[in-house]
Amino acid sequence: MTRTAFFNLLGGLLLGFAAGVLYTWVLNPVKYVDVSPDTLRADHKADFVLMIAQAYALDSNLDLARARLATLNLANPGQFVADTAAQQAAGASLDDLRALNALATALGAVPPPLPVKSP
C-alpha cells in the first residue's frame, strides 16, 4: 500500500466517523419518551407481574403491589396474576409460583394449585 493510499483510507475513515457522530448527535438525536408499563408485550407484562409478586413476597405491602399493578391498567389484576401463575407453572421456579399465588390470593383471586414435585 502506498503512502497516499494509506492517508486516503485514514482520511475516509475519520471523515465517515465524524459524519456519523454529527448525524446521530446533532441532526437526528435519540428522543427519550416515558412510556407506561401497560404498553409492554404480554411476555414482558408477565415478567413485570412476577417482579411485583416477588416484591410482595418480601415486604407483604399489598397497597404497594396494587399501585404497581395499576400501572398495567388491568380490568381484574387479581385474575391476571392468577392467569400469569397458570401460564408460568411449567417453567417457573417453585418460589416464583408461590409468590404469584400469594399475590393472587391477597388480591382475591383463586390461583392455580402448585405443581407437585415427584421424588
Side-chain angles (χ1 to χ4, degrees):
M1 178 182 280
T2 66
R3 192 172 188 199
T4 305
F6 174 74
F7 284 119
N8 284 340
L9 177 65
L10 185 62
L13 289 173
L14 290 173
L15 185 62
F17 178 75
V21 168
L22 175 73
Y23 178 75
T24 57
W25 284 356
V26 178
L27 300 176
N28 192 20
V30 174
K31 294 171 184 73
Y32 293 100
V33 178
D34 292 331
V35 295
S36 62
D38 64 337
T39 60
L40 293 172
R41 289 189 331 229
D43 57 331
H44 292 287
K45 281 185 182 181
D47 291 340
F48 189 67
V49 167
L50 177 58
M51 288 185 275
I52 294 169
Q54 290 169 337
Y56 174 73
L58 290 175
D59 63 14
S60 299
N61 189 339
L62 186 58
D63 292 332
L64 184 57
R66 284 180 197 223
R68 289 173 175 158
L69 285 169
T71 62
L72 291 173
N73 293 329
L74 302 169
N76 188 346
Q79 189 59 48
F80 187 83
V81 174
D83 292 343
T84 301
Q87 292 168 358
Q88 305 239 345
S93 72
L94 196 55
D95 289 336
D96 290 345
L97 293 175
R98 283 185 185 131
L100 286 166
N101 282 3
L103 181 58
T105 302
L107 292 170
V110 178
L114 291 173
V116 177
K117 295 253 182 179
S118 59

